[in-house]
Amino acid sequence: MRPSPSLSDLDTSVPVFRLIAAGVLLLVLFVIATVGSTAPAEEDPMRARLAGVLDAGLRDKLSHYAETMAEKRPVIEIETPEGRFKADNCTGYVALTGRDARGRGLADHPLASHYQECSLMRLLHNSRTPEEHIAPQASLARAVADRLDPATLNALAPAWGGKTRRLANVPADSFAVTDHRIDVAHGDARWSLDVVASVDVAGSPVEDLVVRVGRGSGAGTFMVLMTRDDGALAALPLNVFVAGGGLAMAQAQAQGF
């Protein structure tokens, strides 16, 4: 009988190669897992937009955008050459403002104040994160005071301001500037401006500022401040961005064309 092979006679090359292959495979899997865990996570667009909204109340409404746009409001109805149209929530209102004839009718409607937030929410929801900033967040109000051309505010400018070229030069008994707010007093008159958002709505690299302008009592009116070629800030109404013409019209108006 042929003797059984001893342990030294066995061919151990196959198991060794298998062990090496398994080790390499484990190493590759480890490297893939490590790279995947250390790669930067893709930024959530909504989170980035919310970070630029400085007003807590607006930030909360934007975080619940669908509910805000669907919330019932007083029925607003307008008559235009195209017919009669009405809306009872922000979604319907924004759809109406997209047409020139309807948008003009809505702007002067007695119930328009109930829908002012609608255009703002749409604007903020479609905004982007700016690539360049005109100032740190804590200094935005000071930048507005130094660079805003009051004439571009039109009827919302301080009534006693005259023809000053910068807001900071408006005659005043007191002119107080904090991080995001400007308060101006002249006699019994009061005027204020709050920077409520730092976003990109015009498509330029430099940030656009959404502000709320107040004249004494009342909720205030929202406007967008864009940077002109000469470095000054120009104020534009929200409806410029949602009505016919859109961004092209906004950019032209900001430059004074």
Side-chain angles (χ1 to χ4, degrees):
M1 177 182 295
R2 185 177 179 180
S4 299
S6 65
L7 185 61
S8 60
D9 294 331
L10 294 175
D11 184 2
T12 59
S13 61
V14 173
V16 170
F17 282 133
R18 288 178 178 174
L19 288 173
I20 293 174
V24 171
L25 178 60
L26 289 174
L27 179 61
V28 170
L29 293 175
F30 173 77
V31 170
I32 293 174
T34 302
V35 172
S37 63
T38 58
E42 186 175 345
E43 187 176 24
D44 180 2
M46 177 55 77
R47 178 175 297 181
R49 283 193 290 268
L50 290 173
V53 180
L54 309 177
D55 182 278
L58 293 176
R59 187 165 56 246
D60 180 66
K61 291 179 180 180
L62 183 61
S63 67
H64 301 89
Y65 179 73
E67 294 90 336
T68 300
M69 297 298 283
E71 180 184 348
K72 293 297 182 183
R73 298 171 187 263
V75 176
I76 190 168
E77 192 168 356
I78 58 170
E79 185 77 42
T80 75
E82 299 173 348
R84 178 174 290 273
F85 299 92
K86 63 181 180 179
D88 63 357
N89 60 27
C90 282
T91 299
Y93 178 85
V94 171
L96 290 179
T97 58
R99 300 293 292 272
D100 285 346
R102 303 176 196 176
R104 287 192 295 270
L106 289 170
D108 300 326
H109 197 282
L111 296 176
S113 60
H114 293 277
Y115 288 82
Q116 183 183 196
E117 258 182 15
C118 300
S119 297
L120 177 62
M121 286 295 108
R122 176 65 176 271
L123 191 72
L124 294 176
H125 184 263
N126 292 339
S127 67
R128 295 169 292 277
T129 303
E131 298 177 15
E132 301 174 20
H133 298 268
I134 63 174
Q137 279 195 2
S139 304
L140 285 176
R142 171 49 61 188
V144 171
D146 292 340
R147 297 172 60 176
L148 176 60
D149 181 354
T152 63
L153 290 167
N154 297 316
L156 294 178
W160 66 90
K163 296 182 179 181
T164 53
R165 296 179 60 84
R166 294 295 180 266
L167 182 62
N169 298 329
V170 169
D173 298 327
S174 67
F175 196 106
V177 180
T178 55
D179 292 359
H180 306 139
R181 182 177 173 89
I182 301 171
D183 284 286
V184 185
H186 183 74
D188 295 332
R190 298 292 182 271
W191 186 92
S192 65
L193 181 148
D194 290 283
V195 181
V196 300
S198 164
V199 291
D200 173 13
V201 297
S204 64
V206 183
E207 70 182 330
D208 306 307
L209 300 179
V210 181
V211 300
R212 180 173 50 231
V213 179
R215 295 177 295 173
S217 60
T221 302
F222 293 106
M223 301 194 79
V224 176
L225 306 186
M226 293 175 59
T227 302
R228 292 195 313 217
D229 291 342
D230 62 0
L233 292 173
L236 296 170
L238 296 184
N239 61 9
V240 172
F241 295 87
V242 295
L247 295 181
M249 181 183 293
Q251 292 164 351
Q253 288 195 21
Q255 301 303 332
F257 298 138

